[in-house]
Amino acid sequence: MEQDKNSKCEWFCSKCGGPLKEGPVKAVYLGGNFEIELLECPTCKNVLITEELAEGKMLEVEKSLEDK
């Protein structure tokens, strides 16, 4: 069954089971401080890092820092 393109997929925390909410999250990666919109559990602060982010943007940042 195909999902409606306008419907929103709901994610739940793997730690406490609560629904994840999108919002600004402070992150430290390779010595740099960043604020990025991610899905976070408002209860336990567990954050979902998608495969797209891990293999896309984070890889780009890592390569650019290695080149410096």
Side-chain angles (χ1 to χ4, degrees):
M1 185 170 151
E2 198 170 312
Q3 186 175 359
D4 180 0
K5 290 180 173 118
N6 294 326
S7 67
K8 211 172 181 185
C9 180
E10 192 164 343
W11 290 87
F12 294 91
C13 180
S14 62
K15 187 174 180 181
C16 73
L20 300 181
K21 305 288 182 193
E22 188 170 350
V25 174
K26 291 181 183 177
V28 177
Y29 183 69
L30 294 175
N33 294 315
F34 304 92
E35 190 168 281
I36 186 169
E37 292 285 319
L38 291 174
L39 291 173
E40 179 182 42
C41 177
T43 304
C44 70
K45 303 300 182 195
N46 202 20
V47 175
L48 173 68
I49 297 176
T50 63
E51 182 178 357
E52 177 185 14
L53 177 61
E55 292 183 352
K57 291 225 181 247
M58 287 181 139
L59 186 59
E60 282 179 33
V61 170
E62 187 175 312
K63 285 182 179 181
S64 71
L65 290 173
E66 285 175 353
D67 290 342
K68 290 184 179 183

